[in-house]
């Protein structure tokens, strides 16, 4: 008796996943954030130069990187919507993961640059115009808060937009820190506050960027998605009637929010395979929220190909 397979969502309709509307909403939000960030980027950069503030320059530089990061995310979002081909049967979903990976690496580079500049500022004091620094940072805070409002509802479900969300969050923290540093310089002449606040900003950036990079690498290495318990899935399938054992169980992520699963199900008795396929498929969808599955049914007394075709020595 041969092998039996079930594909609940084949490559021909993989791109018809209900996430289509969600992706369009993400695209619109990213466009809004891009317009906000780019509109204030020049003001931040000029404000940092004329005020002499490293904290404001760090925030301005980060906003400039934000603009490039959002443009990259928009491009990746567009590429991900391209249909599958014979050469790329899963399409271009992972373009979004690559964009998130680049954004995470960029964030780390920014934080290291800020630390380097802060160290130089400790060695060589520089006059700072606190009032200009505070005013420009306050404007940047407003822009960043508006951007967060646009993107926050998508940040938990998509690593690509999560990278943008982290950029905006660290920018918001940077604006708040720059305002605090500006007030301390303006009112108390505490010029050391500028490099100190800059280092604090860089630590926030490092923390978020490291988590983002780790999750991107997990997706690219096809690690088990967060919240998925392989042992629990195995026990649930083996608890079904007529199922003898489960082996070769694999679960991975194609892109954010799209888990895939393959499994071999060995039967303990002769039974209609279509019934088992329906039971396993429904179990995986209802209990574990995994819709894209490939199931291989191994009937009773099934002999694996590598055993039945062994040549005598």
């Amino acid at each position: 008796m041969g092998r039996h397979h079930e594909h609940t969502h084949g490559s021909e309709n993989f791109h018809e996943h209900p996430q289509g509307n969600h992706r369009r909403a993400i695209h619109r939000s990213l466009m809004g954030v891009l317009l906000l960030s780019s509109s204030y980027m020049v003001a931040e950069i000029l404000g940092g130069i004329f005020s002499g503030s490293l904290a404001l320059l760090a925030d301005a530089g980060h906003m400039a990187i934000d603009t490039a990061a959002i443009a990259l995310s928009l491009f990746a979002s567009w590429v991900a919507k391209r249909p599958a081909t014979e050469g790329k049967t899963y399409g271009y979903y992972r373009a979004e993961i690559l964009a998130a990976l680049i954004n995470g690496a960029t964030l780390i580079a920014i934080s290291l640059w800020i630390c380097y500049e802060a160290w130089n500022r400790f060695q060589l004091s520089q006059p700072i115009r606190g009032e200009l620094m505070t005013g420009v940072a306050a404007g940047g805070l407003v822009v960043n808060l508006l951007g967060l409002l646009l993107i926050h509802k998508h940040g938990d479900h998509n690593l690509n937009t999560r990278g943008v969300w982290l950029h905006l969050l660290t920018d918001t923290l940077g604006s708040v820190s720059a305002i605090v540093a500006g007030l301390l310089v303006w009112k108390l002449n505490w010029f050391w506050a500028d490099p100190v606040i800059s280092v604090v900003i860089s630590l926030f950036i490092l923390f978020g960027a490291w988590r983002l990079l780790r999750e991107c690498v997990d997706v690219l290495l096809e690690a088990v998605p967060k919240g998925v318990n392989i042992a629990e899935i195995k026990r649930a399938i083996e608890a079904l009637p007529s199922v003898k054992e489960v082996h070769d169980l694999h679960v991975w992520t194609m892109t954010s929010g799209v888990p895939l699963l393959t499994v071999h199900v060995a039967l303990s008795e002769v039974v209609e395979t279509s019934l088992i396929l329906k039971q396993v498929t429904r179990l995986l969808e209802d209990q574990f929220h995994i819709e894209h599955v490939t199931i291989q049914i191994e009937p009773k007394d099934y002999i694996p190909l590598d055993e039945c075709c062994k040549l005598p020595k």
Side-chain angles (χ1 to χ4, degrees):
M1 196 176 284
R3 301 183 182 184
H4 296 261
H5 299 270
E6 165 91 345
H7 295 266
T8 61
H9 290 271
S11 60
E12 69 278 356
N13 64 353
F14 188 81
H15 282 256
E16 295 177 10
H17 195 271
Q19 283 194 339
N21 292 331
H22 181 63
R23 290 181 181 278
R24 284 189 287 272
I26 289 175
H27 185 83
R28 289 192 296 268
S29 296
L30 286 174
M31 281 296 298
V33 174
L34 179 62
L35 290 173
L36 283 171
S37 296
S38 58
S39 64
Y40 204 75
M41 178 182 65
V42 176
E44 280 259 314
I45 294 174
L46 293 175
I49 293 172
F50 287 112
S51 68
S53 166
L54 175 61
L56 192 56
L57 272 177
D59 194 38
H62 192 196
M63 185 168 281
I65 295 298
D66 283 348
T67 303
I70 296 167
L72 176 63
S73 296
L74 278 167
F75 175 73
S77 181
W78 172 76
V79 170
K81 291 187 293 185
R82 295 182 62 188
T85 65
E86 291 185 0
K88 293 182 175 59
T89 56
Y90 278 123
Y92 295 83
Y93 273 118
R94 285 200 172 165
E96 294 185 316
I97 304 302
L98 293 175
L101 189 70
I102 294 171
N103 279 339
T106 305
L107 282 165
I108 290 178
I110 291 171
S111 64
L112 294 176
W113 173 79
I114 294 172
C115 288
Y116 173 76
E117 288 296 323
W119 174 255
N120 289 336
R121 288 293 180 92
F122 276 122
Q123 305 301 313
L124 182 62
S125 180
Q126 179 176 329
I128 300 169
R129 297 176 59 186
E131 69 283 2
L132 177 59
M133 173 184 175
T134 305
V136 175
L141 176 61
V142 173
V143 170
N144 289 321
L145 288 175
L146 289 174
L148 283 174
L149 286 174
L150 284 173
I151 206 72
H152 82 283
K153 57 186 175 183
H154 309 302
D156 291 335
H157 308 290
N158 184 294
L159 283 178
N160 185 27
T161 52
R162 174 108 161 269
V164 174
W165 188 85
L166 281 172
H167 272 280
L168 291 171
L169 179 61
T170 52
D171 243 355
T172 303
L173 293 172
S175 295
V176 172
S177 301
I179 291 172
V180 173
L183 290 172
L184 291 175
V185 171
W186 182 14
K187 300 298 183 180
L188 302 175
N189 289 326
W190 289 0
F191 294 105
W192 54 264
D194 183 61
V196 168
I197 292 295
S198 302
V199 172
V200 172
I201 296 172
S202 70
L203 293 178
F204 277 113
I205 296 173
L206 273 175
F207 177 75
W210 178 251
R211 290 185 58 187
L212 178 65
L213 280 178
R214 188 174 59 187
E215 291 189 35
C216 290
V217 170
D218 280 345
V219 172
L220 294 175
L221 292 179
E222 299 188 344
V224 177
K226 277 188 175 181
V228 174
N229 189 317
I230 289 288
E232 187 178 343
I233 294 176
K234 186 174 186 294
R235 285 194 298 268
I237 298 176
E238 289 180 340
L240 292 172
S242 306
V243 174
K244 178 182 179 182
E245 68 167 342
V246 168
H247 59 96
D248 289 320
L249 173 59
H250 303 281
V251 185
W252 70 101
T253 304
M254 173 53 54
T255 189
S256 303
V258 185
L260 284 78
L261 178 147
T262 61
V263 63
H264 290 210
V265 179
L267 303 182
S268 59
E269 57 184 354
V270 177
V271 65
E272 182 64 38
T273 57
S274 61
L275 175 63
I276 296 297
L277 288 171
K278 290 178 181 177
Q279 289 177 340
V280 176
T281 301
R282 184 172 299 173
L283 170 72
L284 293 171
E285 186 172 346
D286 292 346
Q287 291 190 23
F288 302 100
H289 310 292
I290 303 175
E291 299 179 358
H292 298 282
V293 302
T294 301
I295 304 167
Q296 177 173 307
I297 299 296
E298 298 176 353
K300 184 181 179 182
D301 301 325
Y302 167 76
I303 301 176
L305 186 64
D306 58 347
E307 293 184 14
C308 70
C309 297
K310 285 181 178 178
L311 296 175
K313 294 183 179 179

